[in-house]
């Protein structure tokens, strides 16, 4: 594709204005550094996957990451093997017992959630970590496996500079209220609906 | 939190039914293996991040990944350093010149997009790759830097078994139509709006 000189100049002028707006917007933000509470929720794909992508970025900038999985645990996840490449810069704890319809045991689910939350709190207090991923914590909160008020207060009171990502469908309004950044993943189209099973390297 | 025996039994029965539904659903899907065309779009965060998280999962299962960045390139991304841990199992090409309002040069943007697309096509034909990430390709399509029909036809005609993820806002309807899985990332809440600047290890 090619363009005329006139088109090129018009484009340049438009982009010059856009850059001025952009620069002014950045300059107008007073808070330069802040540990963020990020929530990835909604019925679509990518909630945990984006959290792990963020962990990868944090590792790429030299940071250290902690992960607690509240639901997964019964099976082995590809991302866990991926993070092994970063050695001790990633602390990974799969504390779940699998989906509730797999365990079929409420008491066991409650005990697993409590153990996972204890592990999460230890990580939140660990000054060596830059990012803590609480994968599927929303599921544990939705099924009332943990005390919502305590969880929200603990996350809101996290130490300065610590980034936390919480994933899972049906995030509680109280958690959304406390969060700095909330993304709702919407399922516009899903291959499961077209009769395709979960794919290795994509879903697990 | 504790529960009574009666509650426990009720829960068990409910979950037993749920598992039966779940198992029947999986069994009903006739397509066991398929290379997926995945599109992450929408105004929210996590589009590229989820794509890189997927790449990490693919690497964790022993796969090989190719990445072409259509817009980014002018600056260095944390995730790129993160992927360095996987050596030659990741092929990474940042082919962009930065945002269009940074370059302010339409001809340069077009040339960069064309080069990036050539690189993408080489990766799509490389039988050693399991997943190809075309980061911000939607942006190049939106600004008509590439021929939409050719891009969609090439992606739809990709070799069997190859997974492709396309990211960026404003995915074209033709691409959505061709995709197996589309997630719309919605921005429910964003810290930029609260005066917080982009954070190292989170945004870059």
């Amino acid at each position: 594709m090619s363009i005329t000189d006139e088109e090129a100049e018009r484009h340049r002028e438009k982009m010059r204005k856009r850059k001025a707006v952009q620069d002014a917007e950045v300059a107008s933000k007073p808070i330069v550094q802040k540990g963020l509470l990020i929530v990835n929720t909604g019925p679509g794909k990518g909630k945990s996957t984006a959290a792990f992508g963020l962990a990868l970025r944090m590792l790429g900038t030299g940071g250290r990451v902690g992960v607690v999985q509240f639901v997964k645990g019964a099976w082995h996840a590809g991302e866990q093997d991926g993070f092994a490449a970063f050695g001790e810069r990633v602390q990974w704890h799969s504390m779940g017992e699998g989906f509730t319809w797999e365990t079929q045991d409420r008491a066991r689910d409650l005990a697993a959630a409590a153990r996972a939350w204890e592990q999460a709190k230890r990580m939140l207090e660990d000054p060596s970590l830059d990012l803590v991923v609480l994968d599927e914590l929303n599921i544990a909160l939705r099924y009332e496996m943990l005390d919502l008020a305590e969880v929200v207060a603990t996350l809101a009171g996290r130490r300065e500079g610590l980034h936390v990502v919480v994933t899972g469908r049906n995030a509680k309004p109280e958690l959304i209220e406390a969060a700095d950044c909330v993304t709702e993943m919407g399922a516009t189209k899903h291959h499961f609906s077209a009769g395709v099973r979960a794919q290795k390297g994509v879903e697990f």
Side-chain angles (χ1 to χ4, degrees), chain A residues 4 7 23 25 28 41 45 53 56 70 83 89 111 113 125 147 151 156-157 160 169 174 178 189 191 194 204:
Chain A
T4 66
E7 281 168 344
D23 289 350
E25 206 184 306
S28 74
T41 190
K45 292 185 80 73
L56 181 76
F70 280 78
F83 281 123
R89 287 208 290 135
E125 284 159 16
D147 186 283
V151 169
E160 213 180 327
R169 291 181 181 221
E174 292 86 342
K189 197 171 183 179
H191 50 284
F204 59 95

PDB file of all heavy atoms in Angstrom, chain A residues 4 7 23 25 28 41 45 53 56 70 83 89 111 113 125 147 151 156-157 160 169 174 178 189 191 194 204:
ATOM      1  N   THR A   4      -0.014   9.263  -0.975  1.00  0.00           N
ATOM      2  CA  THR A   4       0.493  10.487  -1.602  1.00  0.00           C
ATOM      3  C   THR A   4       1.148  11.380  -0.542  1.00  0.00           C
ATOM      4  O   THR A   4       0.953  11.179   0.658  1.00  0.00           O
ATOM      5  CB  THR A   4      -0.655  11.277  -2.255  1.00  0.00           C
ATOM      6  OG1 THR A   4      -1.530  11.728  -1.201  1.00  0.00           O
ATOM      7  CG2 THR A   4      -1.451  10.417  -3.222  1.00  0.00           C
ATOM      8  N   GLU A   7      -1.530  13.038   1.621  1.00  0.00           N
ATOM      9  CA  GLU A   7      -2.054  12.121   2.646  1.00  0.00           C
ATOM     10  C   GLU A   7      -1.060  11.971   3.793  1.00  0.00           C
ATOM     11  O   GLU A   7      -1.427  11.953   4.962  1.00  0.00           O
ATOM     12  CB  GLU A   7      -2.321  10.731   2.037  1.00  0.00           C
ATOM     13  CG  GLU A   7      -3.618  10.644   1.257  1.00  0.00           C
ATOM     14  CD  GLU A   7      -3.709   9.343   0.430  1.00  0.00           C
ATOM     15  OE1 GLU A   7      -2.671   8.674   0.229  1.00  0.00           O
ATOM     16  OE2 GLU A   7      -4.818   9.028  -0.002  1.00  0.00           O
ATOM     17  N   ASP A  23       0.636  12.834  25.526  1.00  0.00           N
ATOM     18  CA  ASP A  23       1.679  13.280  26.452  1.00  0.00           C
ATOM     19  C   ASP A  23       1.090  14.056  27.627  1.00  0.00           C
ATOM     20  O   ASP A  23       1.507  13.889  28.769  1.00  0.00           O
ATOM     21  CB  ASP A  23       2.707  14.156  25.711  1.00  0.00           C
ATOM     22  CG  ASP A  23       3.576  13.323  24.762  1.00  0.00           C
ATOM     23  OD1 ASP A  23       3.500  12.077  24.833  1.00  0.00           O
ATOM     24  OD2 ASP A  23       4.314  13.921  23.962  1.00  0.00           O
ATOM     25  N   GLU A  25      -1.833  13.706  28.827  1.00  0.00           N
ATOM     26  CA  GLU A  25      -2.561  12.783  29.688  1.00  0.00           C
ATOM     27  C   GLU A  25      -1.617  12.092  30.666  1.00  0.00           C
ATOM     28  O   GLU A  25      -1.903  11.975  31.851  1.00  0.00           O
ATOM     29  CB  GLU A  25      -3.277  11.748  28.813  1.00  0.00           C
ATOM     30  CG  GLU A  25      -4.513  11.180  29.496  1.00  0.00           C
ATOM     31  CD  GLU A  25      -5.156  10.088  28.666  1.00  0.00           C
ATOM     32  OE1 GLU A  25      -5.460  10.353  27.486  1.00  0.00           O
ATOM     33  OE2 GLU A  25      -5.345   8.992  29.206  1.00  0.00           O
ATOM     34  N   SER A  28      -0.463  14.368  33.366  1.00  0.00           N
ATOM     35  CA  SER A  28      -1.513  14.760  34.320  1.00  0.00           C
ATOM     36  C   SER A  28      -1.704  13.738  35.434  1.00  0.00           C
ATOM     37  O   SER A  28      -2.397  13.987  36.406  1.00  0.00           O
ATOM     38  CB  SER A  28      -2.850  14.924  33.583  1.00  0.00           C
ATOM     39  OG  SER A  28      -3.375  13.639  33.259  1.00  0.00           O
ATOM     40  N   THR A  41     -11.863 -11.059  35.741  1.00  0.00           N
ATOM     41  CA  THR A  41     -13.070 -11.836  35.976  1.00  0.00           C
ATOM     42  C   THR A  41     -13.881 -11.970  34.680  1.00  0.00           C
ATOM     43  O   THR A  41     -13.375 -11.639  33.610  1.00  0.00           O
ATOM     44  CB  THR A  41     -13.887 -11.207  37.135  1.00  0.00           C
ATOM     45  OG1 THR A  41     -14.936 -12.091  37.520  1.00  0.00           O
ATOM     46  CG2 THR A  41     -14.450  -9.849  36.776  1.00  0.00           C
ATOM     47  N   LYS A  45     -12.362 -16.477  28.284  1.00  0.00           N
ATOM     48  CA  LYS A  45     -11.046 -17.070  28.540  1.00  0.00           C
ATOM     49  C   LYS A  45     -10.026 -15.974  28.820  1.00  0.00           C
ATOM     50  O   LYS A  45     -10.245 -14.827  28.498  1.00  0.00           O
ATOM     51  CB  LYS A  45     -10.600 -17.861  27.312  1.00  0.00           C
ATOM     52  CG  LYS A  45     -11.448 -19.088  27.085  1.00  0.00           C
ATOM     53  CD  LYS A  45     -10.935 -19.921  25.953  1.00  0.00           C
ATOM     54  CE  LYS A  45      -9.782 -20.786  26.380  1.00  0.00           C
ATOM     55  NZ  LYS A  45     -10.179 -21.918  27.224  1.00  0.00           N
ATOM     56  N   GLY A  53       0.710 -14.277  32.243  1.00  0.00           N
ATOM     57  CA  GLY A  53       1.448 -13.418  31.318  1.00  0.00           C
ATOM     58  C   GLY A  53       2.058 -12.229  32.055  1.00  0.00           C
ATOM     59  O   GLY A  53       3.179 -11.805  31.779  1.00  0.00           O
ATOM     60  N   LEU A  56       5.029 -13.344  33.934  1.00  0.00           N
ATOM     61  CA  LEU A  56       6.159 -13.473  33.021  1.00  0.00           C
ATOM     62  C   LEU A  56       6.814 -12.113  32.776  1.00  0.00           C
ATOM     63  O   LEU A  56       8.039 -11.979  32.758  1.00  0.00           O
ATOM     64  CB  LEU A  56       5.681 -14.068  31.695  1.00  0.00           C
ATOM     65  CG  LEU A  56       6.762 -14.276  30.655  1.00  0.00           C
ATOM     66  CD1 LEU A  56       7.612 -15.494  31.008  1.00  0.00           C
ATOM     67  CD2 LEU A  56       6.158 -14.440  29.273  1.00  0.00           C
ATOM     68  N   PHE A  70      -6.061 -21.601  43.966  1.00  0.00           N
ATOM     69  CA  PHE A  70      -7.092 -21.965  44.936  1.00  0.00           C
ATOM     70  C   PHE A  70      -7.935 -23.150  44.489  1.00  0.00           C
ATOM     71  O   PHE A  70      -8.549 -23.815  45.311  1.00  0.00           O
ATOM     72  CB  PHE A  70      -7.996 -20.760  45.227  1.00  0.00           C
ATOM     73  CG  PHE A  70      -7.380 -19.800  46.206  1.00  0.00           C
ATOM     74  CD1 PHE A  70      -6.404 -18.910  45.801  1.00  0.00           C
ATOM     75  CD2 PHE A  70      -7.758 -19.813  47.541  1.00  0.00           C
ATOM     76  CE1 PHE A  70      -5.811 -18.040  46.721  1.00  0.00           C
ATOM     77  CE2 PHE A  70      -7.178 -18.948  48.464  1.00  0.00           C
ATOM     78  CZ  PHE A  70      -6.206 -18.059  48.049  1.00  0.00           C
ATOM     79  N   PHE A  83       7.076 -21.915  34.259  1.00  0.00           N
ATOM     80  CA  PHE A  83       7.708 -21.058  35.259  1.00  0.00           C
ATOM     81  C   PHE A  83       8.943 -21.699  35.893  1.00  0.00           C
ATOM     82  O   PHE A  83       9.759 -21.004  36.498  1.00  0.00           O
ATOM     83  CB  PHE A  83       6.706 -20.674  36.351  1.00  0.00           C
ATOM     84  CG  PHE A  83       5.775 -19.566  35.932  1.00  0.00           C
ATOM     85  CD1 PHE A  83       4.401 -19.736  35.961  1.00  0.00           C
ATOM     86  CD2 PHE A  83       6.281 -18.345  35.508  1.00  0.00           C
ATOM     87  CE1 PHE A  83       3.546 -18.716  35.574  1.00  0.00           C
ATOM     88  CE2 PHE A  83       5.432 -17.314  35.118  1.00  0.00           C
ATOM     89  CZ  PHE A  83       4.062 -17.503  35.150  1.00  0.00           C
ATOM     90  N   ARG A  89      12.880 -17.658  41.536  1.00  0.00           N
ATOM     91  CA  ARG A  89      12.197 -16.368  41.413  1.00  0.00           C
ATOM     92  C   ARG A  89      10.676 -16.531  41.321  1.00  0.00           C
ATOM     93  O   ARG A  89       9.946 -15.559  41.371  1.00  0.00           O
ATOM     94  CB  ARG A  89      12.743 -15.592  40.208  1.00  0.00           C
ATOM     95  CG  ARG A  89      14.154 -15.056  40.491  1.00  0.00           C
ATOM     96  CD  ARG A  89      14.444 -13.811  39.703  1.00  0.00           C
ATOM     97  NE  ARG A  89      14.592 -14.093  38.291  1.00  0.00           N
ATOM     98  CZ  ARG A  89      14.040 -13.363  37.325  1.00  0.00           C
ATOM     99  NH1 ARG A  89      13.292 -12.324  37.618  1.00  0.00           N
ATOM    100  NH2 ARG A  89      14.240 -13.685  36.065  1.00  0.00           N
ATOM    101  N   ALA A 111     -11.350 -26.993  53.721  1.00  0.00           N
ATOM    102  CA  ALA A 111     -10.017 -27.138  54.318  1.00  0.00           C
ATOM    103  C   ALA A 111      -8.938 -26.707  53.316  1.00  0.00           C
ATOM    104  O   ALA A 111      -7.980 -26.015  53.675  1.00  0.00           O
ATOM    105  CB  ALA A 111      -9.792 -28.584  54.755  1.00  0.00           C
ATOM    106  N   ALA A 113      -9.311 -24.556  50.837  1.00  0.00           N
ATOM    107  CA  ALA A 113      -9.381 -23.101  50.671  1.00  0.00           C
ATOM    108  C   ALA A 113      -8.689 -22.399  51.836  1.00  0.00           C
ATOM    109  O   ALA A 113      -7.960 -21.416  51.635  1.00  0.00           O
ATOM    110  CB  ALA A 113     -10.839 -22.652  50.556  1.00  0.00           C
ATOM    111  N   GLU A 125       2.921 -11.106  52.839  1.00  0.00           N
ATOM    112  CA  GLU A 125       3.831 -10.525  53.840  1.00  0.00           C
ATOM    113  C   GLU A 125       5.300 -10.696  53.477  1.00  0.00           C
ATOM    114  O   GLU A 125       6.170 -10.185  54.180  1.00  0.00           O
ATOM    115  CB  GLU A 125       3.561 -11.168  55.212  1.00  0.00           C
ATOM    116  CG  GLU A 125       2.294 -10.626  55.849  1.00  0.00           C
ATOM    117  CD  GLU A 125       1.730 -11.578  56.909  1.00  0.00           C
ATOM    118  OE1 GLU A 125       2.476 -12.483  57.345  1.00  0.00           O
ATOM    119  OE2 GLU A 125       0.552 -11.407  57.273  1.00  0.00           O
ATOM    120  N   ASP A 147     -13.823 -16.122  54.317  1.00  0.00           N
ATOM    121  CA  ASP A 147     -14.517 -14.940  54.820  1.00  0.00           C
ATOM    122  C   ASP A 147     -14.204 -13.753  53.902  1.00  0.00           C
ATOM    123  O   ASP A 147     -13.062 -13.279  53.851  1.00  0.00           O
ATOM    124  CB  ASP A 147     -14.052 -14.662  56.255  1.00  0.00           C
ATOM    125  CG  ASP A 147     -14.837 -13.538  56.888  1.00  0.00           C
ATOM    126  OD1 ASP A 147     -14.549 -12.357  56.554  1.00  0.00           O
ATOM    127  OD2 ASP A 147     -15.748 -13.823  57.671  1.00  0.00           O
ATOM    128  N   VAL A 151     -10.754 -11.317  53.567  1.00  0.00           N
ATOM    129  CA  VAL A 151      -9.937 -11.367  52.349  1.00  0.00           C
ATOM    130  C   VAL A 151      -9.775  -9.959  51.762  1.00  0.00           C
ATOM    131  O   VAL A 151      -8.657  -9.529  51.448  1.00  0.00           O
ATOM    132  CB  VAL A 151     -10.554 -12.332  51.310  1.00  0.00           C
ATOM    133  CG1 VAL A 151      -9.879 -12.184  49.953  1.00  0.00           C
ATOM    134  CG2 VAL A 151     -10.454 -13.776  51.805  1.00  0.00           C
ATOM    135  N   ALA A 156      -6.652  -5.172  50.572  1.00  0.00           N
ATOM    136  CA  ALA A 156      -6.623  -3.698  50.564  1.00  0.00           C
ATOM    137  C   ALA A 156      -5.472  -3.184  51.424  1.00  0.00           C
ATOM    138  O   ALA A 156      -4.893  -2.142  51.133  1.00  0.00           O
ATOM    139  CB  ALA A 156      -7.962  -3.141  51.051  1.00  0.00           C
ATOM    140  N   GLY A 157      -5.142  -3.930  52.475  1.00  0.00           N
ATOM    141  CA  GLY A 157      -4.083  -3.507  53.395  1.00  0.00           C
ATOM    142  C   GLY A 157      -2.720  -4.060  53.037  1.00  0.00           C
ATOM    143  O   GLY A 157      -1.811  -4.044  53.867  1.00  0.00           O
ATOM    144  N   GLU A 160       2.786  -1.558  50.598  1.00  0.00           N
ATOM    145  CA  GLU A 160       2.959  -0.613  49.500  1.00  0.00           C
ATOM    146  C   GLU A 160       3.873  -1.200  48.424  1.00  0.00           C
ATOM    147  O   GLU A 160       4.891  -1.810  48.753  1.00  0.00           O
ATOM    148  CB  GLU A 160       3.601   0.659  50.061  1.00  0.00           C
ATOM    149  CG  GLU A 160       3.178   1.929  49.374  1.00  0.00           C
ATOM    150  CD  GLU A 160       3.884   3.123  50.006  1.00  0.00           C
ATOM    151  OE1 GLU A 160       4.132   3.075  51.237  1.00  0.00           O
ATOM    152  OE2 GLU A 160       4.195   4.056  49.277  1.00  0.00           O
ATOM    153  N   ARG A 169     -14.147 -16.262  37.754  1.00  0.00           N
ATOM    154  CA  ARG A 169     -15.468 -15.699  37.431  1.00  0.00           C
ATOM    155  C   ARG A 169     -16.139 -15.093  38.652  1.00  0.00           C
ATOM    156  O   ARG A 169     -15.792 -15.431  39.773  1.00  0.00           O
ATOM    157  CB  ARG A 169     -16.412 -16.820  36.979  1.00  0.00           C
ATOM    158  CG  ARG A 169     -16.066 -17.405  35.666  1.00  0.00           C
ATOM    159  CD  ARG A 169     -17.080 -18.470  35.337  1.00  0.00           C
ATOM    160  NE  ARG A 169     -16.709 -19.050  34.067  1.00  0.00           N
ATOM    161  CZ  ARG A 169     -17.559 -19.370  33.098  1.00  0.00           C
ATOM    162  NH1 ARG A 169     -18.863 -19.217  33.299  1.00  0.00           N
ATOM    163  NH2 ARG A 169     -17.151 -19.840  31.965  1.00  0.00           N
ATOM    164  N   GLU A 174     -17.515  -6.349  46.460  1.00  0.00           N
ATOM    165  CA  GLU A 174     -16.635  -5.743  47.468  1.00  0.00           C
ATOM    166  C   GLU A 174     -15.171  -5.787  47.004  1.00  0.00           C
ATOM    167  O   GLU A 174     -14.394  -4.876  47.289  1.00  0.00           O
ATOM    168  CB  GLU A 174     -16.753  -6.502  48.808  1.00  0.00           C
ATOM    169  CG  GLU A 174     -18.092  -6.347  49.507  1.00  0.00           C
ATOM    170  CD  GLU A 174     -19.154  -7.347  49.030  1.00  0.00           C
ATOM    171  OE1 GLU A 174     -18.984  -7.948  47.933  1.00  0.00           O
ATOM    172  OE2 GLU A 174     -20.151  -7.533  49.748  1.00  0.00           O
ATOM    173  N   ALA A 178     -12.595  -2.601  45.872  1.00  0.00           N
ATOM    174  CA  ALA A 178     -11.256  -2.407  46.444  1.00  0.00           C
ATOM    175  C   ALA A 178     -10.154  -2.410  45.383  1.00  0.00           C
ATOM    176  O   ALA A 178      -9.044  -1.942  45.636  1.00  0.00           O
ATOM    177  CB  ALA A 178     -10.963  -3.499  47.478  1.00  0.00           C
ATOM    178  N   LYS A 189     -17.044 -15.844  21.648  1.00  0.00           N
ATOM    179  CA  LYS A 189     -17.091 -17.051  20.825  1.00  0.00           C
ATOM    180  C   LYS A 189     -16.170 -18.066  21.483  1.00  0.00           C
ATOM    181  O   LYS A 189     -15.079 -17.715  21.916  1.00  0.00           O
ATOM    182  CB  LYS A 189     -16.543 -16.714  19.435  1.00  0.00           C
ATOM    183  CG  LYS A 189     -16.870 -17.700  18.344  1.00  0.00           C
ATOM    184  CD  LYS A 189     -16.438 -17.092  17.008  1.00  0.00           C
ATOM    185  CE  LYS A 189     -16.794 -17.985  15.849  1.00  0.00           C
ATOM    186  NZ  LYS A 189     -16.408 -17.390  14.561  1.00  0.00           N
ATOM    187  N   HIS A 191     -14.602 -22.180  21.242  1.00  0.00           N
ATOM    188  CA  HIS A 191     -14.526 -23.418  20.461  1.00  0.00           C
ATOM    189  C   HIS A 191     -15.173 -24.600  21.174  1.00  0.00           C
ATOM    190  O   HIS A 191     -15.553 -25.556  20.524  1.00  0.00           O
ATOM    191  CB  HIS A 191     -13.069 -23.740  20.090  1.00  0.00           C
ATOM    192  CG  HIS A 191     -12.117 -23.687  21.239  1.00  0.00           C
ATOM    193  ND1 HIS A 191     -11.669 -22.514  21.759  1.00  0.00           N
ATOM    194  CD2 HIS A 191     -11.544 -24.654  21.969  1.00  0.00           C
ATOM    195  CE1 HIS A 191     -10.827 -22.758  22.758  1.00  0.00           C
ATOM    196  NE2 HIS A 191     -10.747 -24.054  22.917  1.00  0.00           N
ATOM    197  N   ALA A 194     -18.339 -25.230  19.714  1.00  0.00           N
ATOM    198  CA  ALA A 194     -18.301 -25.793  18.360  1.00  0.00           C
ATOM    199  C   ALA A 194     -17.843 -27.249  18.402  1.00  0.00           C
ATOM    200  O   ALA A 194     -17.458 -27.816  17.380  1.00  0.00           O
ATOM    201  CB  ALA A 194     -17.372 -24.961  17.475  1.00  0.00           C
ATOM    202  N   PHE A 204      -4.532 -26.380  28.957  1.00  0.00           N
ATOM    203  CA  PHE A 204      -3.849 -26.986  30.108  1.00  0.00           C
ATOM    204  C   PHE A 204      -2.390 -27.246  29.793  1.00  0.00           C
ATOM    205  O   PHE A 204      -1.940 -26.880  28.715  1.00  0.00           O
ATOM    206  CB  PHE A 204      -4.550 -28.277  30.545  1.00  0.00           C
ATOM    207  CG  PHE A 204      -4.623 -29.331  29.477  1.00  0.00           C
ATOM    208  CD1 PHE A 204      -3.677 -30.335  29.402  1.00  0.00           C
ATOM    209  CD2 PHE A 204      -5.650 -29.317  28.521  1.00  0.00           C
ATOM    210  CE1 PHE A 204      -3.751 -31.313  28.425  1.00  0.00           C
ATOM    211  CE2 PHE A 204      -5.727 -30.294  27.551  1.00  0.00           C
ATOM    212  CZ  PHE A 204      -4.783 -31.294  27.482  1.00  0.00           C
TER     213      PHE A 204
END
